[in-house]
């Protein structure tokens, strides 16, 4: 039987979903501002133009960047949009809920991504089953060598004999791997 250790958290799907949700909110808000700013007859179109230029400052393709690059840029974008002047423009365009959703989706992603990274790092620190077995075999051999060396010392004979019988029994028991069974009729 082969034993392996888990090396990944299994949270990759959740992180990818959170990233997709973050991308959608970012893309929708960006698309709204891009369209609204082009309607020069619409009230407050200049606010949309100004806010869209903030998006341009941090890149219009954040949703295509790696997780870490996107996170860094999104954080800066959100900080810029949170300043008082931009908050007034967001309010004029009634985009408070959309902005809060983008910010929340970003924070949710950040939290999941950090959890995933921490769990993955912890899992990689765990000793593998084969390494544990190698250490166990080495330590058992050293113990058996000690017993063998001490068997002539008074008081050690009984321990040596008992352990020797246990080793023989283990060798002859079901602990040995079984050969593959041929299931032909």
């Amino acid at each position: 039987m082969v034993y392996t250790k888990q090396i990944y958290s299994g949270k990759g799907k959740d992180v990818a979903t959170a990233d997709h949700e973050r991308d959608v909110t970012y893309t929708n808000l960006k698309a709204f501002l891009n369209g609204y700013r082009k309607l020069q007859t619409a009230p407050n179109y200049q606010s949309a133009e100004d806010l869209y230029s903030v998006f341009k400052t941090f890149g219009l393709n954040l949703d295509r960047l790696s997780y870490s690059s996107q996170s860094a840029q999104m954080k800066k974008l959100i900080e810029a949009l949170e300043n008082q002047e931009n908050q007034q423009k967001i309010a004029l365009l009634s985009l408070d809920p959309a902005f809060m959703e983008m910010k929340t989706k970003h924070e949710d992603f950040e939290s999941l991504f950090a959890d995933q990274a921490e769990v993955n790092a912890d899992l990689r620190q765990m000793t593998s089953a084969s390494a544990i077995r190698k250490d166990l075999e080495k330590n058992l051999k050293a113990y058996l060598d000690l017993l063998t060396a001490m068997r002539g010392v008074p008081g050690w004979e009984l321990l040596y004999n008992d352990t020797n019988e246990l080793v023989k029994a283990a060798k002859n028991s079901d602990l040995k791997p079984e050969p593959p069974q041929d299931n032909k009729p």
Side-chain angles (χ1 to χ4, degrees):
M1 179 175 285
V2 176
Y3 294 97
T4 60
K5 71 175 182 169
Q6 182 179 352
I7 57 172
Y8 297 106
S9 67
K11 294 181 182 242
K13 202 173 218 180
D14 294 339
V15 170
T17 299
D19 178 57
H20 175 72
E21 291 173 0
R22 173 177 72 165
D23 291 348
V24 168
T25 60
Y26 163 81
T27 303
N28 289 345
L29 185 55
K30 178 182 71 170
F32 175 84
L33 291 171
N34 187 33
Y36 198 92
R37 73 188 180 95
K38 293 176 183 177
L39 297 173
Q40 295 184 356
T41 57
N44 306 311
Y45 85 92
Q46 187 59 50
S47 291
E49 179 69 51
D50 295 345
L51 292 172
Y52 190 74
S53 70
V54 174
F55 274 72
K56 281 183 182 176
T57 302
F58 298 101
L60 294 176
N61 64 343
L62 296 186
D63 52 324
R64 295 187 200 122
L65 299 176
S66 68
Y67 288 163
S68 56
S69 296
Q70 181 178 359
S71 291
Q73 290 300 96
M74 282 288 280
K75 183 176 180 178
K76 291 176 188 174
L77 172 63
I78 290 168
E79 286 173 1
L81 292 173
E82 285 180 322
N83 79 30
Q84 186 176 356
E85 183 182 335
N86 288 331
Q87 283 295 297
Q88 288 172 347
K89 292 172 185 176
I90 287 170
L92 275 174
L93 295 169
S94 301
L95 292 175
D96 294 307
F99 172 69
M100 286 309 297
E101 181 183 16
M102 184 179 80
K103 182 178 175 181
T104 300
K105 296 293 184 185
H106 174 67
E107 290 168 352
D108 292 348
F109 171 83
E110 289 279 282
S111 177
L112 266 173
F113 188 66
D115 288 348
Q116 179 191 37
E118 185 177 330
V119 170
N120 286 347
D122 289 347
L123 287 171
R124 288 186 188 102
Q125 297 298 319
M126 292 174 61
T127 307
S128 69
S130 53
I132 291 171
R133 180 184 172 135
K134 189 183 281 186
D135 286 347
L136 177 62
E137 288 174 350
K138 184 177 119 190
N139 290 330
L140 281 173
K141 185 175 179 347
Y143 176 71
L144 294 173
D145 288 347
L146 172 68
L147 289 179
T148 302
M150 297 299 288
R151 72 177 175 216
V153 175
W156 284 80
E157 304 93 359
L158 184 59
L159 180 59
Y160 171 80
N161 289 333
D162 288 348
T163 304
N164 196 32
E165 289 302 315
L166 288 172
V167 170
K168 286 179 189 175
K171 283 182 180 179
N172 296 325
S173 75
D174 291 343
L175 294 177
K176 285 197 235 177
E178 292 183 25
Q181 299 292 322
D182 190 9
N183 292 330
K184 293 181 182 174

